Amino acid sequence: LDILKMAGVKATFFVVGKNGERHPGLVARIVREGHALGNHSWDHRKLSFASPAAVRDQLEAWENLFQPFSTEGVKLFRAPHGCMNPLAISVLHDKRYAWIGWSRGVWDSDQPGENVLFERLTRRPRNGEIILLHDGRGSEATVDRSQTVAVLARVILHYTDLGYQFVTIPELLRLREGS
């Protein structure tokens, strides 16, 4: 958050409910500083084979905690591991969520080293990309993300030097609707 603030960049944070419950001050700061907030399930359970009721429970547990922090506009959902099933997708539709994936997954969770991570993040950039970065691993309480933090300012500078702008997912969706 400090790096994003210094760079004047807004981002979208898909927060796992259990993690937000542990760190409500961070969630409040995310919203206060103008970033978008999205639902990433309550406990990061894989939803590939989940029943509609289980998906609804995951969404609503998250909503119950984050209602005070809700951001205006579209409701965003990123599935744990990116996987859903058709019945689960119908629940998202019923609850008026936009299911958000990513176009650049750089596997920062594997901690490949700062130089490798920078290369993955900056290789062949394209307009409209959604870059996936992690601040944790599921609902685990302690995970080292120092490599991701260490390259973030360099990556932002690299993209801005190339003329790219960073926007939140709601802003990106509005841009795509306008084109």
Side-chain angles (χ1 to χ4, degrees):
L1 285 169
D2 292 341
I3 293 167
L4 294 173
K5 187 174 186 175
M6 287 189 312
V9 168
K10 302 296 183 219
T12 303
F13 289 83
F14 288 89
V15 177
V16 173
K18 282 186 172 184
N19 295 342
E21 184 177 51
R22 278 194 289 267
H23 303 286
L26 282 176
V27 175
R29 181 178 173 195
I30 286 168
V31 173
R32 183 176 63 248
E33 293 184 3
H35 303 286
L37 185 65
N39 189 329
H40 195 36
S41 80
W42 177 254
D43 60 12
H44 209 259
R45 177 178 315 174
K46 288 184 181 178
L47 301 175
S48 309
F49 300 104
S51 70
V55 172
R56 188 174 303 280
D57 289 348
Q58 287 283 318
L59 294 171
E60 291 175 356
W62 189 95
E63 291 168 352
N64 290 337
L65 180 66
F66 292 108
Q67 191 63 36
F69 301 111
S70 65
T71 54
E72 292 183 34
V74 66
K75 291 173 22 176
L76 308 172
F77 180 75
R78 171 163 290 147
H81 310 282
C83 300
M84 292 283 284
N85 68 58
L87 292 174
I89 292 169
S90 70
V91 175
L92 292 180
H93 181 75
D94 291 347
K95 292 187 67 57
R96 299 182 180 228
Y97 273 94
W99 180 19
I100 306 297
W102 58 90
S103 55
R104 184 177 292 258
V106 297
W107 312 118
D108 60 323
S109 54
D110 291 342
Q111 300 187 46
E114 292 175 29
N115 291 334
V116 171
L117 190 52
F118 181 81
E119 168 63 22
R120 290 177 183 175
L121 283 162
T122 59
R123 183 182 331 134
R124 295 186 301 278
R126 296 181 315 271
N127 281 326
E129 283 193 299
I130 298 175
I131 300 171
L132 174 66
L133 294 173
H134 296 87
D135 67 348
R137 181 179 294 122
S139 60
E140 292 178 34
T142 57
V143 176
D144 179 10
R145 287 292 167 248
S146 59
Q147 291 178 12
T148 303
V149 172
V151 300
L152 185 58
R154 280 178 48 209
V155 169
I156 292 170
L157 182 60
H158 177 82
Y159 276 98
T160 54
D161 283 349
L162 292 174
Y164 288 95
Q165 296 177 348
F166 292 86
V167 297
T168 64
I169 298 292
E171 290 171 315
L172 181 63
L173 293 174
R174 284 191 294 273
L175 288 170
R176 287 182 176 171
E177 286 174 1
S179 57

